Amino acid sequence: MIRKLKIICLLLLLPIYLVAQEPSTNSSNQNDLLTGKWKVDLRPTPNSDEYYQPFLVKSINNNTFTGTFYGSDIKNALINENWSKLYFAFSTSDQSNDYYHSGYLENGKLYGITYCPNREFTAPWTATRD
């Protein structure tokens, strides 16, 4: 009888124990991998000389982040951790244009694309940790 009560108590407490555990998801690890300094290659064509600009992810909070890209503060940043890769998007601006950027993290490298409607411009880019 006492043994049955112990088993019942354990079974009742098990869900509480499992819920109280810190989730061990891949997303926080992916977030940690995104944070830091990146060197972005913005060459205009595949055969052009390398053209590097900095991308800094200062901090991540839930599904958003702060930082700078190409000397401009990052705005409207979002992260999507629901896929096997970490996807991100954000915007920047200069004195006359808004730029929209998106990309993903794969095997320690960033793959992205930038779009500027006013300049009728879009270009892919890659980045490595700086």
Side-chain angles (χ1 to χ4, degrees):
M1 178 71 165
I2 292 177
R3 185 168 187 236
K4 285 184 181 180
L5 283 174
K6 285 182 181 180
I7 291 173
I8 291 171
C9 286
L10 285 174
L11 290 175
L12 290 174
L13 292 174
L14 183 61
I16 295 169
Y17 174 77
L18 292 174
V19 169
Q21 294 298 305
E22 184 177 324
S24 59
T25 63
N26 215 11
S27 63
S28 65
N29 292 338
Q30 287 182 335
N31 281 349
D32 292 341
L33 294 174
L34 184 62
T35 304
K37 294 179 182 179
W38 296 87
K39 181 169 71 170
V40 180
D41 186 355
L42 294 172
R43 69 180 78 200
T45 67
N47 298 326
S48 298
D49 291 335
E50 298 168 331
Y51 174 61
Y52 294 110
Q53 287 294 319
F55 174 35
L56 172 64
V57 178
K58 292 180 185 175
S59 65
I60 296 176
N61 185 12
N62 295 323
N63 70 333
T64 188
F65 62 95
T66 63
T68 58
F69 181 55
Y70 205 105
S72 177
D73 287 335
I74 289 173
K75 298 179 267 185
N76 307 310
L78 291 173
I79 296 174
N80 185 330
E81 305 169 319
N82 297 323
W83 300 87
S84 61
K85 299 173 191 162
L86 178 106
Y87 288 88
F88 58 88
F90 60 95
S91 63
T92 58
S93 58
D94 60 19
Q95 294 178 352
S96 51
N97 293 297
D98 292 323
Y99 297 85
Y100 304 94
H101 318 274
S102 64
Y104 61 92
L105 172 66
E106 183 174 49
N107 298 324
K109 189 171 183 177
L110 299 180
Y111 298 85
I113 190 160
T114 295
Y115 167 60
C116 180
N118 288 344
R119 291 181 54 198
E120 297 180 356
F121 164 80
T122 188
W125 50 263
T126 59
T128 56
R129 183 133 338 249
D130 194 13

